[in-house]
Amino acid sequence: MLIPSIFVLVLLPVPDPVVMVTAEVAVEVSRTDEVTQQQQAAATEAYEQLQARMEEAWDEYLAPLRDAKTPEQRDAVDLDPAKSPAVIFIAEMLKFTKDHPGTDACLLALGEVIRMSSRDENIFWMTEEAVETVLVDFIEHDGLQDLVRFAHYNPPSTAILRLLRGIADRCESRDVKAASLYSLGKLLGKNDKTRREGRDLLNRIEKEFADVIFFRETTYGQKVKGDIFELEHLQIGDVAPEIIGKEIAGNLMQLSAFRGKVVVLDFWGNW
């Protein structure tokens, strides 16, 4: 970020100094001006058009999988990664953030850039650039909650961790702070070296943000209970906790009865 420079020129006998603003200051001031409703509306319309084009491209790209009738046909589908809409549209999405700075749609586009670039080392610089823009221009934006709520599904890269730490440290909103701390705790919990810090963050959420809504009607207090249990009891090498239920025939079944045998547990769900 450029540091504004102000030159003061005093012309005697004028009693008050005349302040001369350099070009650098003028540029900096214009960047922080409040976005007008007209700019917001134009950015929103442009973003919706861009999203519609990208969704259409995804439909076309995934059509062979959708049209496959059997598992064998799906296995035979060979999608070209170079033709993925994530690859094709990411540069355009990043350009959109520069064309519509400070708008709500810009923040949405930055989230897309982060999501699409965080798994590709060749374009990781885009993640870094998007993260920097979020931390500088949107640190108090209400839309940050949606940006970081599911950020733990991204790889735990340096840029993603910096984003979550920066928001947690500087944002005043409890909703946003809870979301960033939760995603940060989840990501740190995946690594042996940072698991303790991740556990501490989840404990903090349970104490300070238990009443904050995570998603729909679920609070973070409810959400972290399962996450904490996972960190304490469901790590590789841990003894599986007891599971008691009924088998297909209706008879009582418990996991410990199979100790010493090879057991495959398949957890699944419908949404």
Side-chain angles (χ1 to χ4, degrees):
M1 177 181 293
L2 296 175
I3 300 176
S5 301
I6 298 179
F7 295 93
V8 179
L9 175 62
V10 181
L11 301 175
L12 295 176
V14 179
D16 297 321
V18 177
V19 180
M20 300 180 63
V21 182
T22 67
E24 291 182 354
V25 175
V27 171
E28 189 67 21
V29 170
S30 66
R31 286 180 56 192
T32 58
D33 281 347
E34 184 176 352
V35 177
T36 65
Q37 292 184 353
Q38 184 178 6
Q39 289 171 324
Q40 288 280 21
T44 299
E45 181 180 1
Y47 181 75
E48 290 174 351
Q49 293 174 354
L50 178 56
Q51 278 283 60
R53 288 172 44 228
M54 189 163 67
E55 289 174 9
E56 183 179 349
W58 273 114
D59 286 341
E60 182 179 349
Y61 180 71
L62 297 175
L65 285 176
R66 188 172 55 252
D67 296 339
K69 304 300 182 183
T70 66
E72 291 76 18
Q73 290 176 343
R74 283 191 288 272
D75 290 342
V77 173
D78 186 18
L79 299 178
D80 186 355
K83 296 181 179 179
S84 167
V87 174
I88 296 173
F89 280 89
I90 189 169
E92 188 173 353
M93 193 69 72
L94 185 61
K95 182 179 183 300
F96 177 94
T97 67
K98 301 178 187 299
D99 293 341
H100 304 277
T103 62
D104 297 343
C106 177
L107 181 58
L108 294 174
L110 288 167
E112 288 287 353
V113 171
I114 292 171
R115 181 181 62 81
M116 292 190 291
S117 63
S118 61
R119 298 179 183 277
D120 188 343
E121 293 182 357
N122 295 322
I123 54 174
F124 190 63
W125 63 269
M126 292 186 178
T127 310
E128 295 277 3
E129 186 172 318
V131 165
E132 182 65 21
T133 303
V134 171
L135 292 177
V136 172
D137 295 343
F138 293 95
I139 194 62
E140 292 297 339
H141 196 284
D142 293 338
L144 278 182
Q145 184 177 12
D146 291 331
L147 179 72
V148 300
R149 192 199 314 268
F150 299 107
H152 51 282
Y153 290 117
N154 289 300
S157 64
T158 303
I160 297 297
L161 295 179
R162 182 165 68 90
L163 172 69
L164 296 174
R165 291 187 191 278
I167 293 175
D169 290 342
R170 295 162 52 194
C171 185
E172 297 298 327
S173 167
R174 289 186 75 241
D175 293 344
V176 175
K177 190 180 289 288
S180 58
L181 287 172
Y182 176 76
S183 285
L184 181 59
K186 287 282 288 182
L187 287 175
L188 294 175
K190 296 177 181 180
N191 189 299
D192 291 340
K193 296 180 180 179
T194 57
R195 186 164 295 140
R196 180 182 294 276
E197 182 184 359
R199 174 71 165 79
D200 291 341
L201 288 177
L202 295 181
N203 280 339
R204 179 184 172 188
I205 292 172
E206 192 172 35
K207 294 177 181 178
E208 301 179 22
F209 303 95
D211 61 315
V212 176
I213 296 295
F214 163 70
F215 190 64
R216 294 177 180 168
E217 298 180 358
T218 302
T219 65
Y220 278 101
Q222 297 168 323
K223 181 67 175 172
V224 296
K225 291 184 183 298
D227 298 306
I228 293 173
F229 183 87
E230 177 184 350
L231 288 179
E232 292 182 342
H233 303 289
L234 299 180
Q235 301 305 305
I236 295 176
D238 290 348
V239 176
E242 183 66 287
I243 298 177
I244 300 176
K246 291 184 178 181
E247 60 181 19
I248 296 177
N251 299 319
L252 187 66
M253 180 207 72
Q254 57 187 100
L255 182 62
S256 57
F258 298 92
R259 190 175 302 280
K261 301 178 181 179
V262 176
V263 178
V264 176
L265 296 178
D266 181 13
F267 298 94
W268 59 278
N270 258 331
W271 290 271

PDB file of all heavy atoms in Angstrom, residues 207-239:
ATOM      1  N   LYS A 207     -16.358 -21.680  24.248  1.00  0.00           N
ATOM      2  CA  LYS A 207     -16.516 -20.798  25.397  1.00  0.00           C
ATOM      3  C   LYS A 207     -17.046 -19.412  25.026  1.00  0.00           C
ATOM      4  O   LYS A 207     -17.869 -18.851  25.742  1.00  0.00           O
ATOM      5  CB  LYS A 207     -15.168 -20.650  26.120  1.00  0.00           C
ATOM      6  CG  LYS A 207     -14.664 -21.926  26.765  1.00  0.00           C
ATOM      7  CD  LYS A 207     -13.290 -21.708  27.391  1.00  0.00           C
ATOM      8  CE  LYS A 207     -12.764 -23.001  28.016  1.00  0.00           C
ATOM      9  NZ  LYS A 207     -11.398 -22.813  28.588  1.00  0.00           N
ATOM     10  N   GLU A 208     -16.571 -18.861  23.910  1.00  0.00           N
ATOM     11  CA  GLU A 208     -16.869 -17.466  23.577  1.00  0.00           C
ATOM     12  C   GLU A 208     -17.919 -17.267  22.484  1.00  0.00           C
ATOM     13  O   GLU A 208     -18.554 -16.217  22.418  1.00  0.00           O
ATOM     14  CB  GLU A 208     -15.574 -16.749  23.147  1.00  0.00           C
ATOM     15  CG  GLU A 208     -14.482 -16.738  24.203  1.00  0.00           C
ATOM     16  CD  GLU A 208     -13.227 -16.042  23.709  1.00  0.00           C
ATOM     17  OE1 GLU A 208     -13.333 -15.226  22.763  1.00  0.00           O
ATOM     18  OE2 GLU A 208     -12.134 -16.324  24.242  1.00  0.00           O
ATOM     19  N   PHE A 209     -18.109 -18.287  21.621  1.00  0.00           N
ATOM     20  CA  PHE A 209     -18.986 -18.095  20.468  1.00  0.00           C
ATOM     21  C   PHE A 209     -20.019 -19.212  20.328  1.00  0.00           C
ATOM     22  O   PHE A 209     -20.513 -19.458  19.231  1.00  0.00           O
ATOM     23  CB  PHE A 209     -18.146 -18.012  19.188  1.00  0.00           C
ATOM     24  CG  PHE A 209     -17.101 -16.934  19.203  1.00  0.00           C
ATOM     25  CD1 PHE A 209     -15.791 -17.210  19.588  1.00  0.00           C
ATOM     26  CD2 PHE A 209     -17.421 -15.633  18.848  1.00  0.00           C
ATOM     27  CE1 PHE A 209     -14.822 -16.225  19.608  1.00  0.00           C
ATOM     28  CE2 PHE A 209     -16.460 -14.636  18.857  1.00  0.00           C
ATOM     29  CZ  PHE A 209     -15.161 -14.928  19.249  1.00  0.00           C
ATOM     30  N   ALA A 210     -20.348 -19.872  21.415  1.00  0.00           N
ATOM     31  CA  ALA A 210     -21.261 -21.016  21.357  1.00  0.00           C
ATOM     32  C   ALA A 210     -22.642 -20.633  20.838  1.00  0.00           C
ATOM     33  O   ALA A 210     -23.343 -21.455  20.246  1.00  0.00           O
ATOM     34  CB  ALA A 210     -21.378 -21.672  22.730  1.00  0.00           C
ATOM     35  N   ASP A 211     -23.042 -19.380  21.049  1.00  0.00           N
ATOM     36  CA  ASP A 211     -24.385 -18.943  20.644  1.00  0.00           C
ATOM     37  C   ASP A 211     -24.452 -18.465  19.203  1.00  0.00           C
ATOM     38  O   ASP A 211     -25.542 -18.251  18.664  1.00  0.00           O
ATOM     39  CB  ASP A 211     -24.858 -17.818  21.558  1.00  0.00           C
ATOM     40  CG  ASP A 211     -23.941 -16.596  21.487  1.00  0.00           C
ATOM     41  OD1 ASP A 211     -22.706 -16.795  21.520  1.00  0.00           O
ATOM     42  OD2 ASP A 211     -24.441 -15.463  21.398  1.00  0.00           O
ATOM     43  N   VAL A 212     -23.317 -18.287  18.545  1.00  0.00           N
ATOM     44  CA  VAL A 212     -23.289 -17.776  17.176  1.00  0.00           C
ATOM     45  C   VAL A 212     -23.749 -18.872  16.209  1.00  0.00           C
ATOM     46  O   VAL A 212     -23.356 -20.035  16.335  1.00  0.00           O
ATOM     47  CB  VAL A 212     -21.870 -17.296  16.790  1.00  0.00           C
ATOM     48  CG1 VAL A 212     -21.821 -16.856  15.335  1.00  0.00           C
ATOM     49  CG2 VAL A 212     -21.445 -16.161  17.704  1.00  0.00           C
ATOM     50  N   ILE A 213     -24.567 -18.496  15.237  1.00  0.00           N
ATOM     51  CA  ILE A 213     -25.074 -19.461  14.270  1.00  0.00           C
ATOM     52  C   ILE A 213     -23.988 -19.833  13.265  1.00  0.00           C
ATOM     53  O   ILE A 213     -23.362 -18.969  12.656  1.00  0.00           O
ATOM     54  CB  ILE A 213     -26.294 -18.899  13.512  1.00  0.00           C
ATOM     55  CG1 ILE A 213     -27.456 -18.659  14.483  1.00  0.00           C
ATOM     56  CG2 ILE A 213     -26.739 -19.840  12.404  1.00  0.00           C
ATOM     57  CD1 ILE A 213     -28.001 -19.921  15.126  1.00  0.00           C
ATOM     58  N   PHE A 214     -23.782 -21.137  13.119  1.00  0.00           N
ATOM     59  CA  PHE A 214     -22.854 -21.633  12.106  1.00  0.00           C
ATOM     60  C   PHE A 214     -23.541 -21.693  10.746  1.00  0.00           C
ATOM     61  O   PHE A 214     -23.094 -21.078   9.774  1.00  0.00           O
ATOM     62  CB  PHE A 214     -22.337 -23.027  12.494  1.00  0.00           C
ATOM     63  CG  PHE A 214     -21.704 -23.786  11.363  1.00  0.00           C
ATOM     64  CD1 PHE A 214     -20.487 -23.387  10.841  1.00  0.00           C
ATOM     65  CD2 PHE A 214     -22.341 -24.897  10.803  1.00  0.00           C
ATOM     66  CE1 PHE A 214     -19.905 -24.077   9.779  1.00  0.00           C
ATOM     67  CE2 PHE A 214     -21.766 -25.590   9.751  1.00  0.00           C
ATOM     68  CZ  PHE A 214     -20.541 -25.190   9.239  1.00  0.00           C
ATOM     69  N   PHE A 215     -24.639 -22.417  10.674  1.00  0.00           N
ATOM     70  CA  PHE A 215     -25.375 -22.555   9.416  1.00  0.00           C
ATOM     71  C   PHE A 215     -26.792 -22.993   9.736  1.00  0.00           C
ATOM     72  O   PHE A 215     -27.005 -23.885  10.562  1.00  0.00           O
ATOM     73  CB  PHE A 215     -24.680 -23.574   8.508  1.00  0.00           C
ATOM     74  CG  PHE A 215     -25.216 -23.624   7.109  1.00  0.00           C
ATOM     75  CD1 PHE A 215     -25.114 -22.529   6.268  1.00  0.00           C
ATOM     76  CD2 PHE A 215     -25.822 -24.775   6.627  1.00  0.00           C
ATOM     77  CE1 PHE A 215     -25.607 -22.574   4.964  1.00  0.00           C
ATOM     78  CE2 PHE A 215     -26.313 -24.835   5.331  1.00  0.00           C
ATOM     79  CZ  PHE A 215     -26.205 -23.727   4.500  1.00  0.00           C
ATOM     80  N   ARG A 216     -27.740 -22.317   9.092  1.00  0.00           N
ATOM     81  CA  ARG A 216     -29.143 -22.577   9.350  1.00  0.00           C
ATOM     82  C   ARG A 216     -29.423 -22.439  10.837  1.00  0.00           C
ATOM     83  O   ARG A 216     -29.245 -21.369  11.379  1.00  0.00           O
ATOM     84  CB  ARG A 216     -29.545 -23.937   8.776  1.00  0.00           C
ATOM     85  CG  ARG A 216     -29.463 -23.971   7.243  1.00  0.00           C
ATOM     86  CD  ARG A 216     -29.777 -25.328   6.671  1.00  0.00           C
ATOM     87  NE  ARG A 216     -29.678 -25.306   5.215  1.00  0.00           N
ATOM     88  CZ  ARG A 216     -29.678 -26.375   4.445  1.00  0.00           C
ATOM     89  NH1 ARG A 216     -29.781 -27.584   4.996  1.00  0.00           N
ATOM     90  NH2 ARG A 216     -29.590 -26.256   3.123  1.00  0.00           N
ATOM     91  N   GLU A 217     -29.836 -23.516  11.519  1.00  0.00           N
ATOM     92  CA  GLU A 217     -30.159 -23.390  12.940  1.00  0.00           C
ATOM     93  C   GLU A 217     -29.070 -23.949  13.846  1.00  0.00           C
ATOM     94  O   GLU A 217     -29.215 -23.942  15.071  1.00  0.00           O
ATOM     95  CB  GLU A 217     -31.492 -24.096  13.232  1.00  0.00           C
ATOM     96  CG  GLU A 217     -32.684 -23.490  12.495  1.00  0.00           C
ATOM     97  CD  GLU A 217     -33.969 -24.214  12.799  1.00  0.00           C
ATOM     98  OE1 GLU A 217     -33.915 -25.215  13.552  1.00  0.00           O
ATOM     99  OE2 GLU A 217     -35.022 -23.797  12.300  1.00  0.00           O
ATOM    100  N   THR A 218     -27.995 -24.428  13.266  1.00  0.00           N
ATOM    101  CA  THR A 218     -26.906 -25.020  14.051  1.00  0.00           C
ATOM    102  C   THR A 218     -25.971 -23.933  14.561  1.00  0.00           C
ATOM    103  O   THR A 218     -25.519 -23.085  13.794  1.00  0.00           O
ATOM    104  CB  THR A 218     -26.106 -26.024  13.206  1.00  0.00           C
ATOM    105  OG1 THR A 218     -26.983 -27.040  12.714  1.00  0.00           O
ATOM    106  CG2 THR A 218     -24.999 -26.666  14.038  1.00  0.00           C
ATOM    107  N   THR A 219     -25.675 -23.956  15.861  1.00  0.00           N
ATOM    108  CA  THR A 219     -24.748 -22.993  16.450  1.00  0.00           C
ATOM    109  C   THR A 219     -23.331 -23.566  16.443  1.00  0.00           C
ATOM    110  O   THR A 219     -23.129 -24.782  16.296  1.00  0.00           O
ATOM    111  CB  THR A 219     -25.144 -22.661  17.896  1.00  0.00           C
ATOM    112  OG1 THR A 219     -25.007 -23.854  18.702  1.00  0.00           O
ATOM    113  CG2 THR A 219     -26.582 -22.151  17.975  1.00  0.00           C
ATOM    114  N   TYR A 220     -22.361 -22.679  16.636  1.00  0.00           N
ATOM    115  CA  TYR A 220     -20.983 -23.151  16.730  1.00  0.00           C
ATOM    116  C   TYR A 220     -20.769 -23.993  17.984  1.00  0.00           C
ATOM    117  O   TYR A 220     -19.928 -24.894  17.997  1.00  0.00           O
ATOM    118  CB  TYR A 220     -20.018 -21.969  16.705  1.00  0.00           C
ATOM    119  CG  TYR A 220     -19.740 -21.481  15.316  1.00  0.00           C
ATOM    120  CD1 TYR A 220     -20.374 -20.342  14.819  1.00  0.00           C
ATOM    121  CD2 TYR A 220     -18.870 -22.157  14.474  1.00  0.00           C
ATOM    122  CE1 TYR A 220     -20.133 -19.894  13.518  1.00  0.00           C
ATOM    123  CE2 TYR A 220     -18.619 -21.720  13.180  1.00  0.00           C
ATOM    124  CZ  TYR A 220     -19.268 -20.583  12.720  1.00  0.00           C
ATOM    125  OH  TYR A 220     -19.028 -20.162  11.436  1.00  0.00           O
ATOM    126  N   GLY A 221     -21.526 -23.706  19.038  1.00  0.00           N
ATOM    127  CA  GLY A 221     -21.432 -24.525  20.236  1.00  0.00           C
ATOM    128  C   GLY A 221     -21.801 -25.965  19.957  1.00  0.00           C
ATOM    129  O   GLY A 221     -21.156 -26.905  20.459  1.00  0.00           O
ATOM    130  N   GLN A 222     -22.839 -26.171  19.160  1.00  0.00           N
ATOM    131  CA  GLN A 222     -23.238 -27.523  18.775  1.00  0.00           C
ATOM    132  C   GLN A 222     -22.237 -28.129  17.797  1.00  0.00           C
ATOM    133  O   GLN A 222     -21.917 -29.324  17.877  1.00  0.00           O
ATOM    134  CB  GLN A 222     -24.633 -27.486  18.152  1.00  0.00           C
ATOM    135  CG  GLN A 222     -25.733 -27.016  19.093  1.00  0.00           C
ATOM    136  CD  GLN A 222     -27.028 -26.712  18.366  1.00  0.00           C
ATOM    137  OE1 GLN A 222     -27.011 -26.198  17.246  1.00  0.00           O
ATOM    138  NE2 GLN A 222     -28.160 -27.017  19.001  1.00  0.00           N
ATOM    139  N   LYS A 223     -21.775 -27.304  16.880  1.00  0.00           N
ATOM    140  CA  LYS A 223     -20.897 -27.793  15.819  1.00  0.00           C
ATOM    141  C   LYS A 223     -19.560 -28.299  16.351  1.00  0.00           C
ATOM    142  O   LYS A 223     -19.075 -29.355  15.929  1.00  0.00           O
ATOM    143  CB  LYS A 223     -20.667 -26.664  14.803  1.00  0.00           C
ATOM    144  CG  LYS A 223     -19.797 -27.027  13.614  1.00  0.00           C
ATOM    145  CD  LYS A 223     -20.449 -28.037  12.725  1.00  0.00           C
ATOM    146  CE  LYS A 223     -19.614 -28.281  11.476  1.00  0.00           C
ATOM    147  NZ  LYS A 223     -20.153 -29.419  10.680  1.00  0.00           N
ATOM    148  N   VAL A 224     -18.955 -27.570  17.276  1.00  0.00           N
ATOM    149  CA  VAL A 224     -17.591 -27.924  17.695  1.00  0.00           C
ATOM    150  C   VAL A 224     -17.546 -29.165  18.580  1.00  0.00           C
ATOM    151  O   VAL A 224     -16.475 -29.753  18.747  1.00  0.00           O
ATOM    152  CB  VAL A 224     -16.897 -26.744  18.419  1.00  0.00           C
ATOM    153  CG1 VAL A 224     -16.725 -25.576  17.487  1.00  0.00           C
ATOM    154  CG2 VAL A 224     -17.648 -26.351  19.683  1.00  0.00           C
ATOM    155  N   LYS A 225     -18.654 -29.558  19.158  1.00  0.00           N
ATOM    156  CA  LYS A 225     -18.635 -30.756  20.013  1.00  0.00           C
ATOM    157  C   LYS A 225     -18.146 -31.968  19.230  1.00  0.00           C
ATOM    158  O   LYS A 225     -17.300 -32.737  19.700  1.00  0.00           O
ATOM    159  CB  LYS A 225     -20.029 -31.017  20.595  1.00  0.00           C
ATOM    160  CG  LYS A 225     -20.480 -29.996  21.626  1.00  0.00           C
ATOM    161  CD  LYS A 225     -21.814 -30.375  22.236  1.00  0.00           C
ATOM    162  CE  LYS A 225     -22.299 -29.308  23.206  1.00  0.00           C
ATOM    163  NZ  LYS A 225     -21.390 -29.140  24.346  1.00  0.00           N
ATOM    164  N   GLY A 226     -18.691 -32.146  18.026  1.00  0.00           N
ATOM    165  CA  GLY A 226     -18.243 -33.266  17.203  1.00  0.00           C
ATOM    166  C   GLY A 226     -16.811 -33.102  16.722  1.00  0.00           C
ATOM    167  O   GLY A 226     -16.062 -34.083  16.633  1.00  0.00           O
ATOM    168  N   ASP A 227     -16.404 -31.868  16.436  1.00  0.00           N
ATOM    169  CA  ASP A 227     -15.033 -31.620  15.981  1.00  0.00           C
ATOM    170  C   ASP A 227     -14.014 -31.904  17.078  1.00  0.00           C
ATOM    171  O   ASP A 227     -12.948 -32.469  16.817  1.00  0.00           O
ATOM    172  CB  ASP A 227     -14.900 -30.175  15.501  1.00  0.00           C
ATOM    173  CG  ASP A 227     -15.799 -29.874  14.312  1.00  0.00           C
ATOM    174  OD1 ASP A 227     -15.711 -30.599  13.314  1.00  0.00           O
ATOM    175  OD2 ASP A 227     -16.597 -28.928  14.400  1.00  0.00           O
ATOM    176  N   ILE A 228     -14.340 -31.497  18.296  1.00  0.00           N
ATOM    177  CA  ILE A 228     -13.448 -31.765  19.422  1.00  0.00           C
ATOM    178  C   ILE A 228     -13.352 -33.268  19.688  1.00  0.00           C
ATOM    179  O   ILE A 228     -12.266 -33.809  19.942  1.00  0.00           O
ATOM    180  CB  ILE A 228     -13.932 -31.012  20.678  1.00  0.00           C
ATOM    181  CG1 ILE A 228     -13.782 -29.501  20.462  1.00  0.00           C
ATOM    182  CG2 ILE A 228     -13.154 -31.458  21.908  1.00  0.00           C
ATOM    183  CD1 ILE A 228     -14.381 -28.658  21.574  1.00  0.00           C
ATOM    184  N   PHE A 229     -14.483 -33.954  19.611  1.00  0.00           N
ATOM    185  CA  PHE A 229     -14.483 -35.412  19.784  1.00  0.00           C
ATOM    186  C   PHE A 229     -13.603 -36.071  18.725  1.00  0.00           C
ATOM    187  O   PHE A 229     -12.841 -37.001  19.018  1.00  0.00           O
ATOM    188  CB  PHE A 229     -15.912 -35.946  19.695  1.00  0.00           C
ATOM    189  CG  PHE A 229     -16.016 -37.433  19.925  1.00  0.00           C
ATOM    190  CD1 PHE A 229     -16.149 -37.927  21.209  1.00  0.00           C
ATOM    191  CD2 PHE A 229     -15.970 -38.326  18.861  1.00  0.00           C
ATOM    192  CE1 PHE A 229     -16.236 -39.298  21.436  1.00  0.00           C
ATOM    193  CE2 PHE A 229     -16.050 -39.688  19.074  1.00  0.00           C
ATOM    194  CZ  PHE A 229     -16.194 -40.184  20.367  1.00  0.00           C
ATOM    195  N   GLU A 230     -13.699 -35.573  17.493  1.00  0.00           N
ATOM    196  CA  GLU A 230     -12.882 -36.123  16.407  1.00  0.00           C
ATOM    197  C   GLU A 230     -11.395 -35.948  16.685  1.00  0.00           C
ATOM    198  O   GLU A 230     -10.599 -36.880  16.491  1.00  0.00           O
ATOM    199  CB  GLU A 230     -13.248 -35.440  15.084  1.00  0.00           C
ATOM    200  CG  GLU A 230     -12.409 -35.896  13.904  1.00  0.00           C
ATOM    201  CD  GLU A 230     -12.733 -35.142  12.630  1.00  0.00           C
ATOM    202  OE1 GLU A 230     -13.730 -34.405  12.615  1.00  0.00           O
ATOM    203  OE2 GLU A 230     -11.965 -35.279  11.659  1.00  0.00           O
ATOM    204  N   LEU A 231     -10.992 -34.770  17.151  1.00  0.00           N
ATOM    205  CA  LEU A 231      -9.577 -34.532  17.436  1.00  0.00           C
ATOM    206  C   LEU A 231      -9.080 -35.401  18.578  1.00  0.00           C
ATOM    207  O   LEU A 231      -7.915 -35.814  18.592  1.00  0.00           O
ATOM    208  CB  LEU A 231      -9.362 -33.049  17.772  1.00  0.00           C
ATOM    209  CG  LEU A 231      -9.463 -32.063  16.603  1.00  0.00           C
ATOM    210  CD1 LEU A 231      -9.242 -30.636  17.093  1.00  0.00           C
ATOM    211  CD2 LEU A 231      -8.459 -32.403  15.509  1.00  0.00           C
ATOM    212  N   GLU A 232      -9.942 -35.699  19.527  1.00  0.00           N
ATOM    213  CA  GLU A 232      -9.509 -36.446  20.713  1.00  0.00           C
ATOM    214  C   GLU A 232      -9.599 -37.962  20.541  1.00  0.00           C
ATOM    215  O   GLU A 232      -8.839 -38.697  21.175  1.00  0.00           O
ATOM    216  CB  GLU A 232     -10.358 -36.026  21.918  1.00  0.00           C
ATOM    217  CG  GLU A 232     -10.116 -34.599  22.373  1.00  0.00           C
ATOM    218  CD  GLU A 232     -10.936 -34.241  23.599  1.00  0.00           C
ATOM    219  OE1 GLU A 232     -11.917 -34.964  23.888  1.00  0.00           O
ATOM    220  OE2 GLU A 232     -10.601 -33.243  24.264  1.00  0.00           O
ATOM    221  N   HIS A 233     -10.498 -38.436  19.672  1.00  0.00           N
ATOM    222  CA  HIS A 233     -10.757 -39.880  19.636  1.00  0.00           C
ATOM    223  C   HIS A 233     -10.728 -40.515  18.254  1.00  0.00           C
ATOM    224  O   HIS A 233     -10.744 -41.743  18.158  1.00  0.00           O
ATOM    225  CB  HIS A 233     -12.134 -40.178  20.252  1.00  0.00           C
ATOM    226  CG  HIS A 233     -12.294 -39.690  21.648  1.00  0.00           C
ATOM    227  ND1 HIS A 233     -11.649 -40.264  22.730  1.00  0.00           N
ATOM    228  CD2 HIS A 233     -13.027 -38.652  22.150  1.00  0.00           C
ATOM    229  CE1 HIS A 233     -11.979 -39.626  23.846  1.00  0.00           C
ATOM    230  NE2 HIS A 233     -12.809 -38.647  23.518  1.00  0.00           N
ATOM    231  N   LEU A 234     -10.689 -39.713  17.186  1.00  0.00           N
ATOM    232  CA  LEU A 234     -10.817 -40.293  15.845  1.00  0.00           C
ATOM    233  C   LEU A 234      -9.606 -40.020  14.964  1.00  0.00           C
ATOM    234  O   LEU A 234      -9.739 -39.861  13.751  1.00  0.00           O
ATOM    235  CB  LEU A 234     -12.089 -39.766  15.163  1.00  0.00           C
ATOM    236  CG  LEU A 234     -13.405 -40.085  15.862  1.00  0.00           C
ATOM    237  CD1 LEU A 234     -14.577 -39.511  15.092  1.00  0.00           C
ATOM    238  CD2 LEU A 234     -13.576 -41.602  16.024  1.00  0.00           C
ATOM    239  N   GLN A 235      -8.437 -39.964  15.576  1.00  0.00           N
ATOM    240  CA  GLN A 235      -7.214 -39.798  14.801  1.00  0.00           C
ATOM    241  C   GLN A 235      -6.651 -41.163  14.409  1.00  0.00           C
ATOM    242  O   GLN A 235      -6.948 -42.181  15.044  1.00  0.00           O
ATOM    243  CB  GLN A 235      -6.183 -38.996  15.594  1.00  0.00           C
ATOM    244  CG  GLN A 235      -6.655 -37.606  15.996  1.00  0.00           C
ATOM    245  CD  GLN A 235      -7.126 -36.779  14.806  1.00  0.00           C
ATOM    246  OE1 GLN A 235      -6.385 -36.592  13.844  1.00  0.00           O
ATOM    247  NE2 GLN A 235      -8.352 -36.283  14.879  1.00  0.00           N
ATOM    248  N   ILE A 236      -5.847 -41.175  13.351  1.00  0.00           N
ATOM    249  CA  ILE A 236      -5.251 -42.434  12.891  1.00  0.00           C
ATOM    250  C   ILE A 236      -4.455 -43.075  14.028  1.00  0.00           C
ATOM    251  O   ILE A 236      -3.620 -42.433  14.663  1.00  0.00           O
ATOM    252  CB  ILE A 236      -4.338 -42.188  11.683  1.00  0.00           C
ATOM    253  CG1 ILE A 236      -5.164 -41.700  10.495  1.00  0.00           C
ATOM    254  CG2 ILE A 236      -3.578 -43.464  11.302  1.00  0.00           C
ATOM    255  CD1 ILE A 236      -4.350 -41.338   9.272  1.00  0.00           C
ATOM    256  N   GLY A 237      -4.746 -44.345  14.297  1.00  0.00           N
ATOM    257  CA  GLY A 237      -4.070 -45.068  15.369  1.00  0.00           C
ATOM    258  C   GLY A 237      -4.885 -45.143  16.651  1.00  0.00           C
ATOM    259  O   GLY A 237      -4.579 -45.957  17.533  1.00  0.00           O
ATOM    260  N   ASP A 238      -5.927 -44.325  16.775  1.00  0.00           N
ATOM    261  CA  ASP A 238      -6.785 -44.372  17.958  1.00  0.00           C
ATOM    262  C   ASP A 238      -7.688 -45.607  17.900  1.00  0.00           C
ATOM    263  O   ASP A 238      -8.062 -46.083  16.822  1.00  0.00           O
ATOM    264  CB  ASP A 238      -7.676 -43.127  18.045  1.00  0.00           C
ATOM    265  CG  ASP A 238      -6.890 -41.879  18.376  1.00  0.00           C
ATOM    266  OD1 ASP A 238      -5.702 -42.014  18.757  1.00  0.00           O
ATOM    267  OD2 ASP A 238      -7.440 -40.771  18.226  1.00  0.00           O
ATOM    268  N   VAL A 239      -8.035 -46.106  19.078  1.00  0.00           N
ATOM    269  CA  VAL A 239      -9.022 -47.189  19.164  1.00  0.00           C
ATOM    270  C   VAL A 239     -10.394 -46.610  18.849  1.00  0.00           C
ATOM    271  O   VAL A 239     -10.792 -45.586  19.414  1.00  0.00           O
ATOM    272  CB  VAL A 239      -9.023 -47.832  20.564  1.00  0.00           C
ATOM    273  CG1 VAL A 239     -10.125 -48.885  20.670  1.00  0.00           C
ATOM    274  CG2 VAL A 239      -7.663 -48.452  20.859  1.00  0.00           C
TER     275      VAL A 239
END
